[in-house]
Amino acid sequence: MSDALLLTLIISGGFALVAFIISVVLTPLVGLLARRAEIVDRPTAEPKKLHHRPIPLLGGAAIFLTITVLLSLLLHDKSTDILTSGLVRPMHYLGFLLGGAILMIGGFLDDKFTLPPKVTILFPFLAALTAVLAGIGVSKVSNPIGGGTLEISQTLSAAITFVWLLVVMYTTKFLDGMDGLATGVSAIGALMMTGLALTVQYFQPDAAVFAAICFGAMLGFLVWNFHPAKIFLGEGGSTFVGFTIGTLAVIGGAKLGTALLVLSIPFLDVVWVILRRTLVEHHSPTKGDRKHLHHRLLDLGLSQRQVVLIYYAIAAVVGILTLFLQSREKVILFAILVGTMILGATALVLTERKKAKV
């Protein structure tokens, strides 16, 4: 291990620890403010509601504030350029933070007033647009067939990045159905982005420190969000963790494949749910129900913790594999996961039908 790599590893670990501590302290304070403002998720008869007492929302603000504080301090510290020593520019961080602020505002309004889906989608849309306008984009992609990379135009880059950020935001939004599920999987994604930036092949100190800060902030929030949760991410938080993973995958070079594989099961579940709601049940894909994969596993008799830990294990194993796989091998792994998801979904549906007949 080179001296530069070892130093970056130590610095990244240190900032992850600082972010963890700040987030652990901030989260209960945010929860207290949410309770006083009566921004809580109350248990109702909705099938997707799993809690039995009011839980404060707005938790994602603790993650956002932690990341904002540390990024701002480092960017204003003239003695170091650790965040801008590579491909990442100050404008990129500004775009990320402004996009996050938009999600926080939209999340606050939705958590407080329960906005209709046609309004809530505006905030992820604006956040993704802000990131693109700030220069966050994919300038090249790996060629999964012949190796090497493919250069893409600025217009195509903006389009890919915009769609990518929306896809990841809605993946974590749909995933946020159990205590600690979206937060934990996203934290694993941030950890894998850190690990990838620390490999010899992709060595990027700025991206590594950025990802480590995000990982520490999410992990600190998870202390309070793991089952039984003391606070929920809220609308803004559930989209912000996805926005963060999506940005990390783009901002230090195209790592979309790694991020997509870590989120593969939640992503495929979202695709499955949208197709089922629109093509089979003929209603809006935004209409919530209890037919997500994590809900089906719960109905099979698993506990919330067991379901969440299964998701964590899959994300971690797949994420670790991506650190060693080449582009073509990642495509093969994703195809295997798609096949496994289809077989698993079919088995779950058949099991439910048998139970219904009995």
Side-chain angles (χ1 to χ4, degrees), residues 69-325:
V69 167
L70 287 178
L71 289 184
S72 299
L73 289 175
L74 281 174
L75 288 172
H76 284 87
D77 186 355
K78 302 300 183 181
S79 64
T80 179
D81 64 347
I82 189 64
L83 286 179
T84 55
S85 58
L87 299 175
V88 192
R89 306 263 63 87
M91 182 59 72
H92 296 154
Y93 293 110
L94 179 61
F96 167 72
L97 294 177
L98 287 177
I102 290 170
L103 294 174
M104 290 299 107
I105 293 171
F108 171 82
L109 294 174
D110 187 53
D111 291 342
K112 180 66 176 177
F113 304 108
T114 313
L115 304 176
K118 63 182 179 181
V119 175
T120 58
I121 194 175
L122 294 176
F123 297 99
F125 184 95
L126 290 173
L129 183 61
T130 300
V132 171
L133 291 176
I136 296 174
V138 182
S139 60
K140 56 185 177 181
V141 295
S142 300
N143 185 353
I145 300 176
T149 58
L150 300 173
E151 300 290 336
I152 58 177
S153 67
Q154 188 172 358
T155 301
L156 182 59
S157 170
I160 291 174
T161 303
F162 180 79
V163 173
W164 162 253
L165 290 175
L166 282 179
V167 166
V168 183
M169 280 189 275
Y170 271 87
T171 296
T172 54
K173 173 183 167 65
F174 277 60
L175 182 62
D176 189 31
M178 284 187 179
D179 297 352
L181 185 52
T183 309
V185 172
S186 298
I188 291 171
L191 180 61
M192 296 307 150
M193 293 294 105
T194 307
L196 194 61
L198 288 172
T199 60
V200 175
Q201 182 179 1
Y202 295 101
F203 184 53
Q204 296 169 307
D206 48 353
V209 173
F210 181 23
I213 290 172
C214 297
F215 167 68
M218 293 179 191
L219 195 63
F221 175 77
L222 188 60
V223 171
W224 301 96
N225 184 232
F226 194 71
H227 186 73
K230 306 296 189 299
I231 187 171
F232 289 158
L233 280 168
E235 173 71 16
S238 67
T239 50
F240 177 67
V241 291
F243 180 67
T244 301
I245 298 304
T247 301
L248 290 174
V250 173
I251 204 167
K255 304 183 182 72
L256 275 64
T258 298
L260 182 59
L261 282 168
V262 171
L263 296 173
S264 58
I265 299 302
F267 168 73
L268 293 172
D269 181 50
V270 169
V271 174
W272 173 25
V273 167
I274 291 175
L275 291 176
R276 173 178 54 77
R277 291 176 183 175
T278 54
L279 301 180
V280 179
E281 299 173 357
H282 305 292
H283 61 70
S284 171
T286 61
K287 183 180 179 180
D289 56 31
R290 195 187 168 91
K291 294 184 180 180
H292 283 282
L293 176 61
H294 48 269
H295 289 136
R296 293 178 185 269
L297 292 174
L298 191 67
D299 292 339
L300 286 178
L302 297 177
S303 68
Q304 277 204 58
R305 288 194 176 195
Q306 288 172 329
V307 174
V308 169
L309 290 175
I310 288 173
Y311 270 79
Y312 288 0
I314 294 173
V317 170
V318 172
I320 292 171
L321 286 175
T322 61
L323 299 180
F324 304 98
L325 298 179

